[in-house]
Amino acid sequence: MDFDRLPATLWIAAGGALGTVGRYWVGIWMARWSQSLPWGTIAINVTGSFAIAFFATLTTAAGRYPVSDVGRLFFMVGICGGYTTFSSFTLQTLDLLRGGAPGRALLNIGISVVLGMLAVSAGYLVAERLNQTTV
Amino acid sequence: MDFDRLPATLWIAAGGALGTVGRYWVGIWMARWSQSLPWGTIAINVTGSFAIAFFATLTTAAGRYPVSDVGRLFFMVGICGGYTTFSSFTLQTLDLLRGGAPGRALLNIGISVVLGMLAVSAGYLVAERLNQTTV
């Protein structure tokens, strides 16, 4: 696909729309498991963190599958950025606090940050391994 | 497909596109200050956290300016969700770690979470105050 034929802003808007709708659907699908902790938002932020690092590492100029700057903006700023959310994370943590569950609020912060950092590291390491594998 | 969801999905896509482009522009504008810490992403996630709680509290059925369910999805899931990002937050934290700055990586996590929680609380409290103010 020739990403450079459309302005970057349009690609970012399209990626953001796709990622945001994806988040909405995953959130609805995971609502049944999101009673005691917002597992839907956690799963979204963790998978999005894996995806952005995996793509970023695999598609640099030195990576296995180089992608143009606009293509990287489309996927990383657009899709991954639209898909993941920080505002729902903080709002749902506040809801736990207001609902009298400070322990679960802290747990939500801890799980989100720890699993998010593990996922972004895993995305980087898996893509780096692929970059170094000879075909 | 459940066609009742289609209008909401379109609103969410539009809000996500707007929010994502807004994040891209704020990120570019703040790039000059984002050398030692990703202050652009911090500012985006903090202001988005304030906005989602302010809007959520002011526009409930019992709030001062009630908004329909679709309108709330447009602003909260679409605009605020597209505007804020968790994947850039984790990727930039990983970049600090990989760049040999574990202290700044931890600082980025701490500042993002603490300021994000303060902002979401402030958004809620300001809107709650407005809800209780007689005209």
Side-chain angles (χ1 to χ4, degrees), chain A residues 24-25 28, chain B residues 1-12 70 73:
Chain A
Y24 177 57
W25 285 344
I28 288 175
Chain B
M1 180 184 285
D2 180 1
F3 283 97
D4 287 346
R5 269 194 201 145
L6 203 56
T9 301
L10 289 182
W11 279 109
I12 288 164
V70 172
L73 289 173

Side-chain angles (χ1 to χ4, degrees), chain A residues 5-28:
Chain A
R5 292 177 75 174
L6 279 177
T9 301
L10 287 183
W11 279 109
I12 288 163
L18 287 171
T20 300
V21 169
R23 167 165 38 85
Y24 177 57
W25 285 344
V26 171
I28 288 175

Side-chain angles (χ1 to χ4, degrees), chain A residues 36-38 93 95-111:
Chain A
S36 58
L37 273 185
T93 307
D95 287 343
L96 288 171
L97 280 174
R98 288 181 52 217
R104 275 191 277 145
L106 275 177
L107 198 61
N108 186 46
I109 292 174
I111 289 174

Side-chain angles (χ1 to χ4, degrees), chain B residues 2-100:
Chain B
D2 180 1
F3 283 97
D4 287 346
R5 269 194 201 145
L6 203 56
T9 301
L10 289 182
W11 279 109
I12 288 164
L18 287 172
T20 300
V21 169
R23 166 164 41 83
Y24 177 58
W25 286 343
V26 171
I28 288 176
W29 177 67
M30 289 199 64
R32 73 192 87 174
W33 298 293
S34 303
Q35 305 305 315
S36 58
L37 273 185
W39 286 111
T41 303
I42 292 170
I44 285 161
N45 286 340
V46 166
T47 51
S49 292
F50 179 91
I52 198 171
F54 181 79
F55 185 92
T57 308
L58 206 63
T59 66
T60 50
R64 185 162 189 160
Y65 303 107
V67 167
S68 70
D69 286 348
V70 172
R72 285 167 62 85
L73 289 173
F74 169 69
F75 189 84
M76 294 166 63
V77 175
I79 291 183
C80 293
Y83 176 64
T84 61
T85 174
F86 200 89
S87 50
S88 291
F89 158 65
T90 50
L91 184 64
Q92 288 159 349
T93 307
L94 178 68
D95 286 344
L96 289 170
L97 280 174
R98 288 182 52 217

Side-chain angles (χ1 to χ4, degrees), chain B residues 109-134:
Chain B
I109 292 173
I111 289 175
S112 298
V113 169
V114 169
L115 292 190
M117 287 308 301
L118 287 175
V120 80
S121 306
Y124 164 73
L125 291 171
V126 171
E128 193 60 25
R129 174 67 62 92
L130 284 172
N131 283 346
Q132 285 159 7
T133 305
T134 49

